[in-house]
Amino acid sequence: MSAVSPSTAPLKTHSAPHETRLRALRAELARRGLDGFLVPRADEHQGEYVPARAERLAWLTGFTGSAGNAAVLRDAAAVFVDGRYTLQVAAQVDGGLFARIHSADQSMPDWIEANLPAGAKLGYDPWLHTPNDLEKLKVAVEKAKGALVAVEGNPLDAVWSDQPAPPATPAVPHEIAHAGMASAEKRRQIAADLAKAGEDAAALTLPESIAWLLNIRGTDVPHTPLPLSFAILNADASVSLFIDPAKLGEATRRHLGNEVSVTAPEGFLPALAALGAAGKRVRVDPATAPVAVLEQLQTAGAKVTRAADPCLLPKACKNPVELQGSREAHRRDGAAVTRFLAWLAREAPKGTVDELTASDRLEAFRAETGLLRDLSFDTISGSGPNGAIVHYRATDASNRVMQPGELYLVDSGAQYLDGTTDITRTVAIGEPSAEMRDRFTRVLKGHIAIATARFPKGTTGSQLDVLARLSLWQSGFDFDHGTGHGVGSYLSVHEGPQRISKAGNTIALQPGMIVSNEPGYYKTGAYGIRIENLVAVTEAVEVPGGERPMLGFETLTLAPIDRTLIALPLLTPEERGWMDGYHARVRETLAPLLDEETRGWLEEATRPL
């Protein structure tokens, strides 16, 4: 998946219910003495995927993308999205109700500064904003000579009469055979880091951190195997877990053991208050924790350390069992993707394959492994001009049949107990144009440059990003998303803290980290190109005479790259060698897993350049 969050498809929505909802919200705000309210696309955990109950932005505005914000004042309202969602917001949100604003043109704080009347009270839910976000909002409201007011009880929830109930799916153990390290060992290691830093505890609000730390998984949100919860990790390695007790069966309680106490989520704030009353020093991540957590600790008298969630970096550096599991998951997944590509090569030229049929067929091939737990995100299946929409998702309204002379882009992934996958392939339907081959090959050159990079320890992904773009830049092209995002181990398909991106990142790449390698090119209204494999950071083979320890990448993803789209004169001998070597590995690894017809197709698809 491209190195930014996914979205659902551009869908036309009817404005009447949203007009009614906006009017109801404004009435509720007036009843509470508020002049405005902020509606982020977020839940209490700041996750990429949220339960249906937390889809407040979609309920109010109609916008169903995975990132965005709305601001509602008495006489004005606006929805803010980034460049991934400009087409989607135009299709889904009534411009007569909400101004539809690209956040690069005007940020929400800038809009508030320009539109909030002096003396106005702007409300916000302290569970849905982080301290880092709030600082920017405070500056804007102060400049407008207004007041930023934390609300008790979300006013939107008060008018959402059929708001779904919180999810109540079971939390289950994630076995050591897949986790590779016992929860007790993880807790001891992280607790030792807290103690070394002079901290008594850490407030954990990211469910993926808690799932990793306690070796549990769940199904509370789409596509990411998370049980929604909060936790407090103490410096003695004990944990207070705040989760609906009904989610924990006897096996899970045995798995958690005596050092993990279980309390309903309503007990989280009182537990934080108790830490404060005892004068404890508590770590809080200001980039991910809700404002409510920080304020509760400060009000109660805790000494707060603002620092990154202590689980983020250890979780990102996969242990040997997790890495081996990822390799096995990618072999299995690669065979399913290869079966799909062979099927596509047979069927698409007939003019009967559309985007929805293709994505359904790909999911079916994965399901036939017998080990698929879920997709890791909604499949992006875009032909022709739809492929140029970075986070497109086909719907009945937008679905189109693949035509000869077009490109088809499919970005998909799967959740298996032993690993999370994410792969993009761009395929020519019929004969591609010379321009398509040129752009594809430049994207491929960037992909190979990342795959073969050797770099000193301490290097960040931001320092490598230019390698993916250089060939495109040389011809005046670029792409407007990151080159790579971290990937979890049967967890989130988008995992920090590492990334490969133009945006600055101070986190050095370390052995065991898994990142995507996915440069692209998009010609609006015509076609899109992206080539994505997942790679693991490894210790590089020592160079004779070298002076510094070096790192490199192991490519995990295994599936053919469309040879018919390669303009051979643009590749150097070394790049041709990489392609032939990669295809030989794909062929040798996957052939034993495939039926005879698919093996024959694979032989041709991976023959040397």
Side-chain angles (χ1 to χ4, degrees), residues 63-80:
F63 174 67
T64 60
S66 65
N69 291 278
V72 175
L73 304 179
R74 288 180 184 237
D75 300 312
V79 176
F80 304 85

Side-chain angles (χ1 to χ4, degrees), residues 203-222:
L204 304 180
T205 63
L206 294 176
E208 52 263 54
S209 290
I210 298 165
W212 173 85
L213 182 68
L214 300 181
N215 287 344
I216 56 175
R217 298 294 189 267
T219 55
D220 280 348
V221 298

Side-chain angles (χ1 to χ4, degrees), residues 319-379:
N319 61 51
V321 170
E322 290 173 317
L323 287 172
Q324 185 56 32
S326 183
R327 294 182 188 105
E328 292 172 4
H330 278 90
R331 278 197 288 272
R332 178 186 319 122
D333 200 61
V337 171
T338 299
R339 290 180 65 200
F340 167 76
L341 293 173
W343 170 85
L344 188 71
R346 292 192 303 269
E347 299 299 323
K350 300 176 183 177
T352 58
V353 178
D354 59 42
E355 295 164 339
L356 289 173
T357 299
S359 61
D360 289 346
R361 195 72 189 91
L362 176 53
E363 182 174 357
F365 280 125
R366 285 186 162 118
E368 287 171 16
T369 66
L371 296 173
L372 179 69
R373 309 294 290 200
D374 194 357
L375 299 182
S376 56
F377 55 94
D378 291 319
T379 298

Side-chain angles (χ1 to χ4, degrees), residues 103 120 128 143 197 214 250 253 336 371 427 453 458 493 527-528 555-556 565 575 587 593:
S103 54
L128 304 183
K143 287 182 178 179
L214 300 181
E250 189 57 39
R253 288 180 180 272
L371 296 173
V427 179
V493 76
Y527 58 86
T555 294
L556 300 171
L565 276 166
E575 289 165 340
R587 185 171 58 250
L593 307 178

Side-chain angles (χ1 to χ4, degrees), residues 86-87 384-390 435 480 521-528:
T86 51
L87 294 175
N386 288 342
I389 303 171
V390 175
E435 177 188 292
D480 293 328
Y521 170 78
Y522 310 91
K523 185 172 183 177
T524 301
Y527 58 86

Side-chain angles (χ1 to χ4, degrees), residues 145-169:
K145 296 182 169 47
L148 194 60
V149 180
V151 301
E152 186 171 343
N154 192 304
L156 188 148
D157 294 354
V159 298
W160 187 354
S161 59
D162 58 348
Q163 185 178 26
T169 65

